[in-house]
Amino acid sequence: MKTTRQILVFFSILLIFTSCTKTADVVLSSEQKVVNSLSGSGNRIWNLTNKYENSIEIALTQMEKKNTKTYTTNPSSPAESYAGTLTTTDFGVGSWMLKGPVKLVEMVQKNSVPTEITYLINEITNTKLDIEYIQNYKSVRYIYMAY
């Protein structure tokens, strides 16, 4: 009887200590998960690997093979801020904004003209970005890899 009581007290104390040391899991919104994949812990560089027009793969030019995008977030902005700066090898510096978990809007200067492109995010992970948009009645799809 005394041994049973000791075992019961031991497990009760163990239960109290283990329940007190657990931290609450942070639940991220769908948008925050996309931002984390897009920009990592501050910025992430994406390299163009594939291009498709109307589901047909188009061979990349030598310039396109060097094409990169760097998405940067501002660590001092609130967690609900789904925007940041964008640096590309073909347009220079611009900005980006997430409008929901599947729409990525890029604002850049192209030939001194402000240009806004809204992409549909087909897939995003920490190493793959698959985006597409409609241009002149055709679907243009890009696949980027982060290394």
Side-chain angles (χ1 to χ4, degrees):
M1 180 87 160
K2 187 175 181 182
T3 306
T4 306
R5 222 181 259 161
Q6 288 174 336
I7 292 173
L8 186 58
V9 169
F10 173 75
F11 280 114
S12 298
I13 292 171
L14 183 64
L15 178 65
I16 290 170
F17 281 114
T18 57
S19 64
C20 292
T21 59
K22 287 186 179 181
T23 58
D25 290 334
V26 177
V27 178
L28 298 176
S29 68
S30 298
E31 291 86 352
Q32 191 59 48
K33 290 177 184 177
V34 170
V35 169
N36 289 351
S37 293
L38 190 64
S39 62
S41 60
N43 66 34
R44 179 166 284 146
I45 300 171
W46 295 92
N47 301 290
L48 182 62
T49 58
N50 300 83
K51 178 181 177 181
Y52 298 86
E53 290 182 4
N54 290 333
S55 301
I56 298 170
E57 187 167 9
I58 305 298
L60 297 176
T61 65
Q62 289 302 316
M63 272 308 260
E64 288 174 324
K65 288 178 182 180
K66 298 175 185 176
N67 188 327
T68 65
K69 291 185 179 196
T70 304
Y71 294 93
T72 305
T73 56
N74 182 355
S76 64
S77 66
E80 296 78 33
S81 177
Y82 309 125
T85 58
L86 169 67
T87 306
T88 68
T89 53
D90 52 354
F91 297 122
V93 178
S95 60
W96 64 272
M97 178 187 337
L98 196 62
K99 291 192 174 185
V102 295
K103 282 192 179 178
L104 174 65
V105 180
E106 294 181 356
M107 289 81 54
V108 294
Q109 293 283 331
K110 186 174 184 179
N111 300 326
S112 301
V113 177
T115 303
E116 183 175 296
I117 301 172
T118 301
Y119 291 99
L120 173 66
I121 301 172
N122 294 323
E123 179 184 359
I124 186 165
T125 66
N126 289 336
T127 57
K128 182 179 180 183
L129 174 62
D130 181 347
I131 54 178
E132 71 179 296
Y133 71 105
I134 304 298
Q135 177 186 35
N136 299 327
Y137 303 105
K138 65 181 171 185
S139 168
V140 179
R141 179 177 166 212
Y142 297 108
I143 298 178
Y144 291 86
M145 300 302 281
Y147 302 101

